[in-house]
């Protein structure tokens, strides 16, 4: 028992079991002194997030599908241009009421019903942390090769069943190790990492871009390559391509409140995200297209992976200047991959695990749990043992889009911006978010409906034979999942209204100033001189 108490995060004395399950320092509304994310920080965040290996390669699947480079680039612009408003919409509750995703999810799914969507997001964050770390290990290998070419010849002492080699595991572990200090910083301070990445990564990308054009003496043949698709085949290929951009962002759409909760003002999380998402991701994909096109002239083949291409520059006794250039670019890509892993996975897992185990886990501890899971899951083995592994992960966006559909509809169309912040942290039966034993079955009916419409197409994405109609529905899985769940949720609330439905849109905490039982309990403890609880009272009042 004493051991378990030692593991607990700091909290007030005498809390009931339900109170310890609903609140800790990282779940309560963010105090004003931590509202440090200005407009520039959100812009820098997306500049930083766009510069990663996945974005670099985003157009490769489109060109290989039969689109020309400019058709692929249009799909990137449209795809990210469409997904940006969804990010802004779901980020709004966090920016206004300064609450993180697991707490925002309580408003629609219920106090206890929110645990399943939160678990979904936490599991995906932990898995993706390992996958992104594996990619970061590839960047580490190229950087070490540029410094010490003999690294490439490290003898292997691991069995074939391990799925990796001594060299590759060493590089993976080094990347994993240098990521640990970044997890330590709280969300309101980690913005400095994204500022650094927004300077270093684009600089390296532009240098790589110019370097390849100079070496190829032009932009290469892919730019002159025409598309091979026409008519309806072309139309559906473009739909699939732009939907791949949207699906890749489904995780960040879902947990958008996590970062928005640190916004100085609600407007800081609005226009900067709306504008920067399509611009930054489109520019990075354009650089990837040109560099890959240049690689055909340099090496005789299209190399869509920036890491593989950098590694090829180190073959055949490169000059010192070439090695330095590769070192700088690969080191910048390591920073880029680190920033992406922290923003999309570590912090998300930290917030979600905090909601699942608030008595023992805060955001920092949750981030380290994700790192440990990412190491133990041996992501290199999963990636090498199944070509469809990334397909499974991308297809998981179906489940996340249904969650987002419910959350957005709840905020804008059901309660129309009205919140009872105090009810988010108490299990009172008359609270807005208690619903039926803490579960909102309207939300679950809508969530399952959004999944069911895509489930047959999901099976097709994993290799099974399904009707073409199911495939077409699944091709638009984000919209079908989001749309169906939103419509069903709104319809069920129209038939059986939930407590607190509003007639006009107004972003207000209707519990502010009220002395309900929960607040009186917190106030009583605060009067005993516990400064941490005084802060909690202040924040529960908003």
């Amino acid at each position: 028992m004493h051991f378990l108490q030692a593991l607990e995060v700091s909290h007030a004395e005498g809390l009931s079991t339900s109170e310890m399950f609903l609140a800790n320092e990282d779940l309560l509304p963010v105090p004003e002194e931590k509202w440090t994310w200005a407009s520039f920080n959100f812009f820098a965040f997306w500049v930083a997030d766009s510069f990663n290996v996945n974005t670099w390669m985003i157009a490769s699947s489109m060109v290989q599908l039969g689109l020309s480079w400019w058709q692929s680039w249009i799909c990137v612009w449209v795809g990210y241009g469409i997904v940006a408003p969804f990010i802004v919409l779901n980020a709004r509750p966090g920016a206004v009421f300064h609450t993180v995703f697991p707490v925002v999810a309580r408003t629609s799914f219920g106090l206890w019903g929110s645990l399943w969507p939160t678990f979904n997001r936490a599991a995906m964050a932990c898995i993706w942390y390992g996958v992104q770390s594996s990619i970061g290990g590839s960047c580490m290998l190229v950087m070490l090769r540029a410094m010490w070419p003999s690294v490439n010849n490290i003898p292997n002492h691991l069995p074939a069943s391990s799925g990796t080699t001594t060299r590759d595991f060493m590089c993976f572990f080094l990347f994993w190790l240098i990521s640990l200090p970044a997890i330590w910083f709280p969300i309101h301070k980690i913005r400095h990492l994204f500022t650094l990445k927004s300077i270093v990564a684009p600089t390296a990308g532009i240098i790589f871009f110019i370097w390849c054009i100079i070496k190829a003496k032009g932009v290469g043949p892919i730019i002159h390559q025409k598309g091979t698709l026409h008519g309806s085949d072309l139309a559906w290929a473009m739909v699939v391509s732009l939907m791949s951009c949207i699906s890749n962002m489904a995780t960040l759409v879902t947990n958008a409140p996590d970062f928005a909760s640190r916004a100085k003002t609600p407007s800081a999380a609005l226009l900067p995200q709306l504008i920067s998402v399509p611009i930054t991701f489109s520019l990075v994909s354009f650089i990837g297209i040109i560099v890959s096109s240049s690689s055909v002239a340099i090496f005789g083949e299209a190399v869509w992976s920036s890491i593989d291409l950098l590694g090829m520059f180190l073959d055949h006794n490169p000059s010192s200047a070439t090695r330095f250039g590769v070192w700088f670019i690969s080191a910048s890509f390591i920073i880029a991959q680190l920033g992406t892993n922290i923003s999309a996975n570590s912090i998300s897992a930290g917030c979600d695990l905090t909601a699942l185990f608030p008595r023992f886990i805060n955001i920092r501890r949750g981030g380290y749990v994700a790192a440990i899971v990412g190491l133990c899951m041996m992501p290199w083995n999963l990636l090498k043992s199944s070509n469809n592994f990334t397909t499974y992960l991308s297809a998981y966006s179906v489940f996340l889009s249904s969650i987002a559909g419910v959350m957005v509809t709840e905020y804008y169309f059901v309660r129309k911006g009205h919140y009872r912040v105090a009810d988010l942290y108490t299990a009172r039966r008359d609270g807005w978010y208690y619903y039926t034993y803490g579960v909102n079955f309207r939300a679950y009916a809508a969530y399952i409906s959004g999944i069911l419409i895509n489930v047959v197409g999901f099976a097709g994405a994993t290799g099974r034979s399904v009707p073409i109609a199911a495939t077409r529905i699944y091709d638009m899985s984000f919209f079908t999942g989001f749309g169906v769940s939103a419509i069903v949720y709104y319809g069920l609330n129209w038939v059986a209204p939930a407590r607190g439905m509003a007639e006009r849109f107004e972003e207000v905490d209707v519990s502010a100033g009220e002395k309900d039982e929960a607040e009186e309990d917190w106030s009583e403890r605060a009067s005993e001189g516990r400064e941490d609880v005084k802060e909690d009272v202040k924040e529960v009042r908003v």
Side-chain angles (χ1 to χ4, degrees), residues 5-11 24-25 358-362 365:
Q5 290 177 344
L7 292 178
E8 292 179 358
V9 298
S10 59
H11 57 75
N24 67 15
E25 182 181 355
R359 182 177 177 181
F360 299 101
I361 294 181
N362 53 26
R365 291 184 183 183

Side-chain angles (χ1 to χ4, degrees), residues 29-30 35 88-99 104 257 260-267 269 411-412 417-419 421 505-509 542:
V30 178
W35 301 353
V88 170
L89 285 173
N90 208 33
R92 185 72 181 182
V96 174
F97 298 102
H98 302 282
T99 50
V104 175
S261 64
R262 270 67 181 175
K264 284 187 175 182
T265 62
S267 60
Y411 186 76
Y412 291 95
H418 291 69
Y419 256 48
V421 175
F505 187 85
E506 182 182 10
E507 293 174 311
V508 59
D509 173 19
V542 184

Side-chain angles (χ1 to χ4, degrees), residues 354-419:
T354 296
L356 295 175
F357 308 100
R359 182 177 177 181
F360 299 101
I361 294 181
N362 53 26
I363 293 177
R364 178 180 292 158
R365 291 184 183 183
Y368 285 115
V369 169
I372 293 171
V373 172
L375 174 64
C376 295
M377 65 177 275
M378 297 185 292
W380 59 85
N381 210 21
L382 292 172
L383 289 169
K384 291 182 179 179
S385 64
S386 174
N387 292 329
N388 290 325
F389 182 67
T390 53
T391 301
Y392 280 98
L393 291 179
S394 297
Y396 202 82
S397 64
V398 170
F399 302 90
L400 298 180
S401 65
S402 297
I403 294 172
V406 171
M407 292 174 65
V408 170
T409 305
E410 159 71 23
Y411 186 76
Y412 291 95
F413 299 101
V414 176
R415 291 200 174 90
K416 299 181 179 178
H418 291 69
Y419 256 48

